[in-house]
Structure formats: structure tokens, C-alpha cells
Amino acid sequence: MPSMIRRFVRGVDAMNYFIGRFAMYLIFALIGVLMWSSVSKVFFQPTLWTLEMAQFVMVAFYVLGGPYSIQMGSNVRMDLFYGNWSVRQKAWMDAFTVLFLMFYLGVLLYGAIGSTAYSLGHFSGEPFSFFWDLFKTLVTEGPAAAREQMGFLERSPSAWRPYMWPVKVLMIFGITLMLLQVTAEFFRDIGRIRGEEI
């Protein structure tokens, strides 16, 4: 395999390993939020923010830990036939099926970008042009002009009413990391088909 592809695979693996190891510890943040929810309901006045905060932490745990899970090979597979195949046969199957995952993640990423644009006040048109115009305004005119361009910020309809854009930006980041990781896995499978380990 070319050295550029090897560097890409190793770089993506190192980045997702670091982020995934960090994401593992978000489970303790989730436990803390849920514990506080239980304690406040029993001994104090129930808090409004705990349920949605637990959902947001779970989203972070899931989308940041997904690429690490793929990297470690701990994702779920149907091993009825796959478990008895040779390394090369598994690599052929993985290289084929990962293309479907890439397509799915691409559609998911496009939807997340559109949803994030909506949460920042863009209600019609192409989300990419909105983000490009927002970036140009931020660079040329400053943060105040960019804030004016964003418009009405989406909030949750709950009693707590948090802004939705932070969790949607996190989803874009996590889906992008997953796309990078499955691309690295695709290159790794191509290497195995050719008899090389990356």
C-alpha cells in the first residue's frame, strides 16, 4: 500500500483511539447526571435539566465511541458463516459491505448538517451555502455580524429549553470521525486482500 494511505490509516486510528478512550469515561458523567436526578427527586425539588442532559451525554458517548468500537472490532457481526472464513475472505466481505456503511454515513452526515443549519436559524435552501456564508461573514465582518445572520436559534420544547445546536454539531463531528474510521478500515481490508497488514 502507498505510504500516504498507511499514514492516513495510522493517523485516523490514533485520533479515534484517543477520542474513544476519552468517550469511555462519559459513562461516569451519565451515571452522575442520573444519580443526581434520582437524589433530587427524592430529597429536593426535581430538576428540569437531568433527563435531557443524560440524553445529550449519551449521544456524545455513542457518537464519539462508535469509531473506537469499529477500530477495536467490537461491533456486532453475523458470524453464522463469517466466523469460519479465512482472513482474506473476511477482508473481501468487509471491503464490500463497508461501502454500504459509507453510503449510510454520508446520508446521515448530510442530514446532520441540514439539521444543524436549521438549529442555527436557516430554514430554507442549501445548508452548505448557509455555512459558507456564515464563515465568510465571521471572517470578514466579525462574530456580531455572524450572530445576526444566524437568526432564531432552535431550542428544545421541554421545560429546560436548551439550545439544540451543540448536540447537533457533536453529531456532525462524530459521524465525520466514523466516516474516517470506516475509510481506514476499507484501506486495511484492501491491504489484507493484497496480503499486507497496515
Side-chain angles (χ1 to χ4, degrees):
M1 296 295 281
S3 63
M4 186 175 77
I5 290 178
R6 288 178 183 275
R7 282 197 304 271
F8 170 78
V9 170
R10 289 183 185 134
V12 168
D13 281 351
M15 177 179 60
N16 281 332
Y17 183 82
F18 176 77
I19 293 170
R21 297 295 288 186
F22 165 77
M24 282 187 345
Y25 295 105
L26 288 174
I27 195 73
F28 296 113
L30 180 62
I31 290 168
V33 169
L34 293 175
M35 191 181 305
W36 176 252
S37 176
S38 299
V39 167
S40 68
K41 285 178 185 171
V42 173
F43 298 109
F44 309 110
Q45 186 160 351
T47 53
L48 299 174
W49 57 269
T50 52
L51 178 62
E52 273 181 305
M53 182 56 78
Q55 290 171 342
F56 293 163
V57 172
M58 190 63 194
V59 166
F61 177 76
Y62 182 75
V63 300
L64 296 178
Y68 178 71
S69 173
I70 292 284
Q71 184 184 77
M72 295 293 118
S74 56
N75 52 312
V76 177
R77 287 194 172 102
M78 293 296 291
D79 281 347
L80 183 61
F81 302 110
Y82 185 89
N84 295 324
W85 290 350
S86 70
V87 171
R88 195 159 186 232
Q89 287 173 315
K90 289 177 182 178
W92 272 107
M93 181 56 75
D94 290 343
F96 174 69
T97 57
V98 79
L99 298 175
F100 295 102
L101 180 57
M102 285 178 182
F103 175 75
Y104 171 74
L105 289 170
V107 171
L108 202 61
L109 181 61
Y110 182 79
I113 290 170
S115 184
T116 303
Y118 181 86
S119 72
L120 293 173
H122 180 69
F123 303 121
S124 63
E126 182 65 31
F128 292 104
S129 63
F130 167 73
F131 282 116
W132 178 247
D133 292 341
L134 189 64
F135 176 72
K136 284 193 309 190
T137 304
L138 180 67
V139 170
T140 57
E141 300 176 34
R147 268 194 300 278
E148 279 183 34
Q149 187 175 348
M150 283 195 290
F152 179 76
L153 298 179
E154 180 187 18
R155 296 181 84 135
S156 170
S158 67
W160 182 36
R161 296 191 37 80
Y163 289 110
M164 297 303 294
W165 69 264
V167 75
K168 292 183 178 187
V169 168
L170 182 70
M171 287 179 62
I172 290 174
F173 182 65
I175 294 167
T176 302
L177 290 177
M178 182 68 99
L179 260 172
L180 289 172
Q181 187 63 48
V182 298
T183 304
E185 293 298 319
F186 176 73
F187 288 138
R188 189 175 281 120
D189 289 330
I190 296 299
R192 286 186 186 127
I193 290 168
R194 296 173 58 175
E196 304 173 28
E197 275 298 323
I198 298 178

